[in-house]
């Protein structure tokens, strides 16, 4: 990809102004950065591509110390009644509400999200706190009938231990909250390794949780933040004192983490790649579909795990829909996310930009037709900032590049003739996170949600692939990892189950009628 020669360079907020705004947000959350940490991570902003601060970097020794501190806190925390644990999460929700603007500001500065999306992410954190507080009084087991007279059979759920949370840059706060709010009410403690690209946001969130714990008289070190590179993070993955590793990121990362945790018989919760698609049936409301597709494909500059990357359209309506989408994409306002009216902010870094370029080149080599977008919008005086035009590419077939997830705003368009062909195309990728269908035919909608329909963990009708609510379990199948976070009964991943048999009789009958007299 190359910069469009007819487009004037974008004007973006200066690095000095970003630094000032970030420091104000950190101060509001109670975070004081050391003057010259060593070793350090570069806390940068994709808005300019430049470093804002040096942030203290944790090495393996610091990660081990964090695990030890969380393990010590767990010994006390697990004995606290769950509704009392919920009070800490309730207080966190209040503090997040009070500091929503500050956390949202840091998310925009570090991840490049437009403010409405950044504030929406913080609202999601507040919502999961509300959910977890209610859950703290509903961590219920079951009672089952025993085959032996005078016996009661039941199950109970107990805290699991230290939970290691590894989060990605694109949701630098919400994914942590999904895990941490639930883990805390379940009686666990947390060691959080955020993306090195969003350490400031993590520090602010961690400071608010520390304050919530102190306000409620809870133990220190319920949540310990370790900003570390992948090498140091291996100490978290390999530690036998970390009962569960919840990792969000690429399929490559998950393939490295899972066997290491399995080798020590730990538990994993994986939220990995998504190659999400929408099927558009001939009966669909095309204007509704266009709106849903645009946000799902271009929102967050295509850097959501639920971003729509494939569009599978009935051939009778494909031309009309693609033409409408091309007009919308061409008019999307791209630029500084802090500027009024911006809808598409920057890619996170040069690696993301280069990946997008390689994918587009390969798609065209495979016979694809670039409909719109794909160019770079240069930012004046900021060569390390990467603003791109969301692209639409019509493909003759589902090639290898279409089957791979590219974390950038590329929407591949495929066509189909009959519904079975659409489902086969939809399911013909390794990933299985989110899916949707646009149709007015109730039979097609039901078929898409049936066992032989979409093979994804999230299946939507007449909405896009992005924008999950916290009440439902979030996650996907196949190389997406099979994990579930957030709502429904996802809490069970953070606890251990015990089956209990109570004999309240004066006899000792054995199960299955065994006689061992």
């Amino acid at each position: 990809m190359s910069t469009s020669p007819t487009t004037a360079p974008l004007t973006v907020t200066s690095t000095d102004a970003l630094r000032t705004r970030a420091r104000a947000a950190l101060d509001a959350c109670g975070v004081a950065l050391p003057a010259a940490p060593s070793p350090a991570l570069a806390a940068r902003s994709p808005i300019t591509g430049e470093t804002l601060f040096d942030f203290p970097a944790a090495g393996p020794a610091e990660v081990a110390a964090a695990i030890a501190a969380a393990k010590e806190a767990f010994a006390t925390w697990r004995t606290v009644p769950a509704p009392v644990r919920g009070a800490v999460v309730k207080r966190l929700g209040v503090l997040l509400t009070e500091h929503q603007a500050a956390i949202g500001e840091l998310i925009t500065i570090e991840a490049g999200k437009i403010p409405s999306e950044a504030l929406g992410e913080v609202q999601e954190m507040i919502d999961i706190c509300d959910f977890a507080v209610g859950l703290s009084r509903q961590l219920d087991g079951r009672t089952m009938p025993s085959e032996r007279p005078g016996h009661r059979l039941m199950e109970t759920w107990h805290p699991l231990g230290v939970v290691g949370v590894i989060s990605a840059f694109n949701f630098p706060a919400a994914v942590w909250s999904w895990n941490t709010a639930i883990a805390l009410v379940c009686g666990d403690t947390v060691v959080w390794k955020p993306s090195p690209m969003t350490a400031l946001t993590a520090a602010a969130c961690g400071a608010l949780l520390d304050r919530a714990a102190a306000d409620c008289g809870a133990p220190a070190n319920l949540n310990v933040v370790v900003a570390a590179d992948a090498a140091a993070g291996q100490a978290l993955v390999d530690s036998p004192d970390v009962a569960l590793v919840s990792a969000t990121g690429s399929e490559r990362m998950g393939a490295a983490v899972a066997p290491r945790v399995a080798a020590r018989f730990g538990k994993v919760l994986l939220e990995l790649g998504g190659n999400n698609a929408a099927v558009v049936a001939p009966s669909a409301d095309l204007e509704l579909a266009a709106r849903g597709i645009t946000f799902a494909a271009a929102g967050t500059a295509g850097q959501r795990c639920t971003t729509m990357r494939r569009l599978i359209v009935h051939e009778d309506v494909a031309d009309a829909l693609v033409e409408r989408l091309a007009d919308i994409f061409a008019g999307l306002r791209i630029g500084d996310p802090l500027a009024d009216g911006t809808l598409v902010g920057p890619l996170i870094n040069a690696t993301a930009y280069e990946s997008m370029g390689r994918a587009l080149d390969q798609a065209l080599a495979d016979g694809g037709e670039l409909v719109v977008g794909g160019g770079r919008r240069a930012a004046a005086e900021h060569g390390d900032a990467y603003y791109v035009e969301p692209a639409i590419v019509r493909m003759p077939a589902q090639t290898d590049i279409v089957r791979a997830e590219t974390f950038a705003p590329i929407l591949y368009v495929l066509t189909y003739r009959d519904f079975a062909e659409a489902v086969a195309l939809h399911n013909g990728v390794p990933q299985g996170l989110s899916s949707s269908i646009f149709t007015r035919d109730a039979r097609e909608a039901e078929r898409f949600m049936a066992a032989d329909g979409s093979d994804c963990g999230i299946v939507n009708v007449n909405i896009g692939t992005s924008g999950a609510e916290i009440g439902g379990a979030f996650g996907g199948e196949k190389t997406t990892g099979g994990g579930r976070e957030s709502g429904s009964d996802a809490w069970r991943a953070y606890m251990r189950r015990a089956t209990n048999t109570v004999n309240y009789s004066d006899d000792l009958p054995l199960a299955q009628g065994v006689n061992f007299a």
Side-chain angles (χ1 to χ4, degrees):
M1 295 182 297
S2 61
T3 302
S4 172
T6 61
T7 302
L10 299 170
T11 299
V12 300
T13 305
S14 71
T15 297
D16 285 343
L18 293 173
R19 191 176 289 120
T20 298
R21 294 175 71 152
R23 191 176 293 280
L26 291 168
D27 289 344
C29 296
V31 177
L33 295 177
S38 180
L41 296 170
R44 64 181 289 278
S45 173
I47 295 173
T48 62
E50 295 171 357
T51 298
L52 304 178
F53 305 104
D54 287 333
F55 191 89
E62 288 77 17
V63 174
I67 295 169
K71 181 181 179 182
E72 182 178 357
F74 171 70
T76 300
W77 188 240
R78 64 183 172 183
T79 65
V80 174
V84 179
R85 299 193 296 250
V88 174
V89 177
K90 183 177 182 178
R91 178 61 179 152
L92 173 62
V94 170
L95 292 174
L96 287 170
T97 301
E98 294 173 355
H99 296 82
Q100 185 170 14
I103 299 294
E105 180 98 325
L106 290 170
I107 291 171
T108 292
I109 290 170
E110 282 198 295
K113 288 186 176 182
I114 61 174
S116 66
E117 289 193 68
L119 292 171
E121 179 170 349
V122 186
Q123 185 60 51
E124 195 168 325
M125 301 171 74
I126 297 166
D127 293 345
I128 196 65
C129 287
D130 287 346
F131 180 91
V133 171
L135 180 65
S136 69
R137 295 183 181 270
Q138 300 180 66
L139 299 171
D140 53 335
R142 304 179 180 184
T143 58
M144 291 77 74
S146 173
E147 65 186 56
R148 290 170 283 184
H151 285 61
R152 179 160 60 91
L153 190 62
M154 64 180 183
E155 67 179 24
T156 52
W157 291 84
H158 302 292
L160 187 61
V162 177
V163 175
V165 176
I166 300 172
S167 61
F169 77 87
N170 60 329
F171 278 86
V175 169
W176 166 76
S177 71
W178 292 355
N179 285 275
T180 301
I182 304 299
L184 289 178
V185 300
C186 288
D188 304 325
T189 55
V190 174
V191 176
W192 179 19
K193 181 198 170 302
S195 166
M197 293 180 279
T198 52
L200 301 180
T201 302
C205 293
L208 293 182
L209 179 49
D210 288 347
R211 179 175 161 188
D215 289 349
C216 295
N221 299 317
L222 295 183
N223 174 80
V224 186
V225 180
V226 287
D229 60 16
Q234 287 182 3
L236 184 65
V237 171
D238 293 337
S239 173
D241 291 329
V242 176
L244 170 69
V245 175
S246 177
T248 302
S250 67
E251 295 161 79
R252 178 188 56 78
M253 181 272 285
V257 166
R260 296 180 75 103
V261 179
R264 59 175 178 83
F265 296 96
K267 296 184 177 182
V268 293
L269 193 166
L270 299 176
E271 296 290 355
L272 308 175
N275 194 348
N276 316 292
V279 173
V280 181
S283 66
D285 179 334
L286 295 187
E287 189 58 34
L288 180 92
R291 294 200 306 271
I293 292 162
T294 298
F295 172 67
T300 326
Q303 297 172 120
R304 290 183 177 225
C305 54
T306 54
T307 291
M308 189 183 298
R309 310 202 181 280
R310 296 176 298 136
L311 189 60
I312 302 166
V313 193
H314 193 276
E315 57 189 37
D316 288 352
V317 296
D319 290 345
L321 180 58
V322 170
E323 182 178 357
R324 176 67 180 125
L325 288 171
D327 288 342
I328 296 172
F329 273 46
L332 290 173
R333 183 165 176 181
I334 301 162
D336 183 348
L338 291 168
D340 290 342
T342 297
L343 292 176
V344 180
L347 292 178
I348 191 67
N349 56 23
T351 300
Y353 172 70
E354 291 162 2
S355 177
M356 180 176 179
R358 288 193 299 270
L360 284 174
D361 288 345
Q362 185 60 57
L364 299 181
D366 290 343
E369 174 194 352
L370 180 64
V371 176
V372 68
R376 179 182 177 189
R377 301 279 184 88
E381 302 179 2
H382 298 291
D384 290 329
Y386 296 89
Y387 295 85
V388 296
E389 300 164 346
I392 298 174
V393 184
R394 295 194 72 159
M395 296 297 295
Q398 189 152 264
T399 61
D400 287 346
I401 194 60
V402 178
R403 297 177 73 249
E405 180 189 38
T406 300
F407 220 60
I410 304 174
L411 181 63
Y412 300 110
V413 180
L414 302 157
T415 59
Y416 75 95
R417 164 48 54 185
D418 62 70
F419 189 76
E421 180 187 3
V423 172
L425 280 170
H426 177 276
N427 294 346
V429 296
Q431 311 84 0
L433 179 54
S434 186
S435 60
S436 69
I437 184 170
F438 290 90
T439 181
R440 292 173 179 168
D441 187 328
R443 294 169 301 177
E444 285 185 329
E446 293 293 336
R447 288 170 64 190
F448 194 66
M449 293 186 290
D452 57 350
S454 168
D455 61 4
C456 292
I458 299 170
V459 187
N460 297 329
V461 177
N462 290 327
I463 61 173
T465 54
S466 293
E469 298 182 34
I470 59 93
F474 180 91
E477 300 302 321
K478 304 193 293 187
T479 60
T480 300
R484 293 297 185 276
E485 296 171 313
S486 193
S488 186
D489 65 349
W491 63 270
R492 294 172 184 258
Y494 303 86
M495 302 196 82
R496 60 179 179 85
R497 185 196 320 239
T499 300
N500 312 125
T501 304
V502 179
N503 179 4
Y504 57 89
S505 74
D506 294 327
D507 297 320
L508 191 64
L510 300 179
Q512 293 86 46
V514 172
N515 185 356
F516 203 69

